[in-house]
């Protein structure tokens, strides 16, 4: 497949590239018994997989297990911090999945998986039988990685806001309460973690808010790594839009946070103790708990899979998609999770018919907003090779570093188009 970056962005805006390219052909119609697929997690990966399973084969019995009645998307949750979106505008529900597509949605939590018996036990007591299982639980945090940090601290004083919802509301409230001249500390983890550009988009949108309302304030990014996604584009934008407001300190300059004191609102790095008025700690991460507890993850904390079908290499019959899986160079993004959900759905339909899955193409684009009319992006198309998932050469790329105002404005527009299309594709 040969696709230019410009054409690719057009596809994104029109919603076409939301598909996992090339995996849906040749599934055929021959089908005998009613097979049961259970999907754990109704986020970007799981909700996509559930819907596309029914789209590909309406005769399947598909059960989606998700405790939350409404799913708040992390994408665009940073925008809430700048007053550019409301929480309502980033909230999705499951009504269409059941009424339009016939997915059985169960408001419950999966507590254990028995791969020998092919069953999933739910917190409410139900036991679900499956012929194939998809697990898309997102991330969990390594709470013990930063001394003094814990779930309680995150909920009370130092939010991570890396699972959108009450954490986003808390961080937003703290920013609104902060005095002019205050310091916001943003502390991202080392790779790999959910949404590599997320902390830096966050810094940009917070700066947008502060410039308008509290212009004497500062943002200090204390990073556990020495480089980050779209770095040159972000830093160029910061100099232009928010001169002197955002400082980034990488690991080599003592950026890595080792401990926090939530009462004193301080963080401790290798070099010093720093005080923040708002402290956003984004802890290191691992696969969501159910994947971890069910033996789907390896020593890395993530779940290895066969890249053609996203079937676990540790537990046959179970497919792991989204942030929880190891997907080579694909970032942990909502777009990637959704793309993987389509690949897993198509593979399962074929496997249940005794056919081999076809080798897929996968796609991702991550847009980041630096200000309402200033967007940047990174895009990638991926294929399967002997080494696993690899990027198709010359397929994606970054916003050019010398992009003009028109292009940056267009990227911001594409970002909105991307969001509207993907949430419609998944929950619409
Ligand atoms: C600030 C921020 C900005 C982001 N911006 C973007 C962006 O612009 N573009 C982009 O593509 N990505 C973005 N992302 C990344 C994106 O949110 C994730 O990559 C994506 O949500 C991963 O999808 P998932 O299905 O793996 O997990 P999730 O979307 O987290 O879904 C997991 C679901 O599983 C459920 N669950 C967990 N355990 C169980 C269980 N035991 N039983 C039942 N259900 C369970 C959870 O309730 C949850 O709803 C952003 C992330 C952040 C933090």
């Amino acid at each position: 497949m040969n696709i230019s970056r410009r054409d690719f962005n057009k596809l994104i805006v029109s919603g076409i590239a939301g598909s996992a390219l090339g995996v849906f052909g040749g599934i055929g119609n021959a089908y005998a018994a009613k097979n049961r697929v259970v999907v754990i997690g109704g986020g970007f990966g799981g909700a996509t997989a559930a819907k596309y399973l029914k789209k590909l084969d309406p005769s399947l019995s598909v059960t989606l297990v998700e405790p939350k009645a409404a799913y708040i998307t992390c994408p665009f949750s940073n925008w809430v911090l700048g007053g550019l979106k409301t929480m309502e505008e980033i909230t999705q529900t499951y009504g269409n999945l059941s009424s339009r597509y016939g997915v059985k949605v169960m408001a419950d939590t999966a507590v254990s998986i028995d791969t020998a018996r092919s069953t999933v036990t739910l917190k409410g007591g139900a036991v679900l039988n499956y012929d194939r299982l998809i697990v898309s639980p997102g991330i969990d945090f390594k709470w013990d990685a930063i001394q003094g940090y814990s779930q309680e601290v995150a909920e009370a004083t130092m939010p991570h806001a890396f699972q959108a919802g009450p954490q986003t509301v808390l961080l937003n409230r703290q920013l609104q309460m902060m005095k002019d001249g205050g310091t916001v500390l943003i502390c991202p983890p080392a790779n790999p973690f959910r949404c590599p550009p997320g902390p830096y988009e966050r810094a940009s949108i917070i700066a947008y808010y502060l410039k308008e309302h509290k212009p004497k304030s500062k943002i200090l990014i204390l990073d556990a790594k020495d480089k980050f996604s779209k770095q040159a584009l972000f830093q160029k934008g910061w100099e232009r839009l928010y001169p002197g407001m955002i400082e980034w300190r990488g690991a080599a300059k003592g950026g890595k946070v080792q401990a926090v004191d939530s009462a004193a609102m301080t963080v401790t790095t290798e070099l010093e103790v720093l005080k923040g008025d708002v402290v956003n700690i984004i802890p290191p991460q691992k696969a969501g708990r159910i994947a971890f507890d069910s033996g789907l993850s390896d020593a890395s904390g993530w779940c290895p899979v066969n890249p053609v079908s996203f079937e676990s290499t540790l537990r046959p019959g179970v497919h792991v998609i989204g942030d929880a899986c190891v997907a080579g160079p694909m970032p942990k993004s909502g777009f990637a999770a959704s793309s993987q959900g389509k690949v897993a759905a198509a593979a399962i339909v074929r496997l249940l018919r005794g056919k081999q899955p076809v080798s897929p193409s996968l796609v991702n684009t991550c847009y980041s907003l630096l200000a309402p009319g200033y967007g940047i992006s990174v895009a990638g198309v991926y294929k399967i090779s002997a080494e696993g998932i690899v990027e198709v050469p010359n397929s994606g790329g970054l916003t050019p570093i010398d992009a003009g105002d028109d292009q940056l404005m267009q990227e911001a527009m594409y970002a909105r188009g991307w969001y509207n299309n993907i949430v419609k594709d998944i929950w619409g």
Side-chain angles (χ1 to χ4, degrees), residues 40-46 65-68 71 74-75 77-78 108-110 136-138 161-162 194-195 202 290 321-323 332-335 337 365 367 418:
I40 298 176
F44 277 81
V65 183
E66 165 62 56
K68 295 192 287 256
Y71 174 84
C74 283
S77 63
N78 284 333
D108 211 330
T109 301
S136 187
F162 248 55
R194 153 175 288 186
C195 194
R202 176 169 293 171
I290 185 73
I321 56 174
D323 288 354
K332 298 189 183 299
S333 78
F335 198 161
T365 297
Y367 289 97
W418 171 82

Side-chain angles (χ1 to χ4, degrees), residues 245-259:
M245 189 175 254
I246 303 176
E247 184 191 341
W248 174 77
R249 215 172 282 173
K253 296 239 164 78
K256 185 172 181 214
V257 170
Q258 297 177 322

